[in-house]
Amino acid sequence: MATFVLIHGGGGSAWDWHLLAPELVDLGHDAVTPELPIGDRSAGFDAFCRAVVDAVGDRRDLVVVGHSYGAFTAPLIAARLPVRLIVLLTPMIPRPGEKPGDWWAATGYRGVEGLSEEEQFYHGVPADVVAEAPAHSREQVSAEGDEPWPLDAWPDVPTRVLVAREDRFFPADFLRRVTEDRLGFPPDEVDGGHSVALSHPRQLADRLDAYLRA
């Protein structure tokens, strides 16, 4: 049994994982869904890491999953806890010294025109789940957006990247390029859109479980 540490993306919350976590438990694993202190104007990367470490407690055999902006935090946990595997899901992959606010221009991200935020973020998610989402979104005012990413190099921990084939926010072609440019290997692919943990929770759980069995 592994413990999956599920780190939400920008403006998100533990709710983002509420469909995936039970599927991982059903497969015999544990799941931890920390809330990052994104509403605290003084909170930076160190505070983010403390929130994750506190949520993990004494659990071990850790697989850290960072969704979207959560990819800036996920690798940092490997410097504080014994991490077995890092999985980046539809991610913003950081570079050493890069400020999150600079990521967009540095990767050449051009945005998506003509689509609402709902269409970009929740494509393929059931309508009843989309209707719940606004109650669980949070304004992100924390300080890490202007902090250089603190690692000098990527952690010496096995890392996998999962892009979603129907992602309208970070299109698959864009993330394939960014992954190969920044990590030097191609990503894996899964069905679904940007919020794949809400649209395809069982398929995602099976893929995460398969990484451990490989």
Side-chain angles (χ1 to χ4, degrees):
M1 181 187 79
T3 295
F4 284 86
V5 183
L6 307 175
I7 300 177
H8 63 76
S13 68
W15 177 87
D16 298 352
W17 306 108
H18 79 282
L19 299 179
L20 176 65
E23 298 290 356
L24 292 169
V25 171
D26 187 56
L27 291 171
H29 302 295
D30 191 8
V32 179
T33 56
E35 297 270 8
L36 301 182
I38 64 174
D40 182 348
R41 294 185 184 276
S42 67
F45 283 124
D46 185 64
F48 279 28
C49 289
R50 287 199 307 271
V52 175
V53 170
D54 289 348
V56 170
D58 61 359
R59 298 174 179 88
R60 291 298 180 261
D61 198 18
L62 306 179
V63 178
V64 181
V65 181
H67 174 232
S68 196
Y69 189 44
F72 267 86
T73 300
L76 302 180
I77 305 307
R80 304 188 180 215
L81 295 173
V83 174
R84 175 177 174 182
L85 176 68
I86 297 168
V87 180
L88 307 180
L89 178 64
T90 63
M92 294 175 66
I93 302 171
R95 274 185 169 153
E98 181 176 65
K99 296 178 181 179
D102 294 337
W103 183 91
W104 310 91
T107 58
Y109 181 72
R110 298 179 180 176
V112 180
E113 296 182 359
L115 296 177
S116 67
E117 286 192 5
E118 181 177 305
E119 290 169 327
Q120 292 182 59
F121 288 104
Y122 297 112
H123 175 61
V125 177
D128 59 330
V129 179
V130 176
E132 295 177 25
H136 300 278
S137 64
R138 298 183 294 159
E139 183 181 7
Q140 181 134 1
V141 296
S142 43
E144 85 298 329
D146 198 40
E147 290 182 356
W149 195 62
L151 295 187
D152 295 328
W154 199 261
D156 187 19
V157 174
T159 300
R160 306 297 289 263
V161 176
L162 264 176
V163 304
R165 297 185 182 96
E166 293 85 41
D167 193 339
R168 292 178 171 178
F169 184 58
F170 291 152
D173 286 345
F174 166 75
L175 282 185
R176 288 189 202 103
R177 175 179 60 77
V178 172
T179 302
E180 296 204 26
D181 178 49
R182 298 193 162 207
L183 295 178
F185 59 80
D188 299 322
E189 297 185 11
V190 65
D191 289 336
H194 192 69
S195 299
V196 63
L198 295 173
S199 64
H200 293 72
R202 184 64 194 204
Q203 293 92 323
L204 179 56
D206 287 341
R207 177 63 69 92
L208 295 173
D209 180 66
Y211 282 155
L212 297 179
R213 300 178 185 277

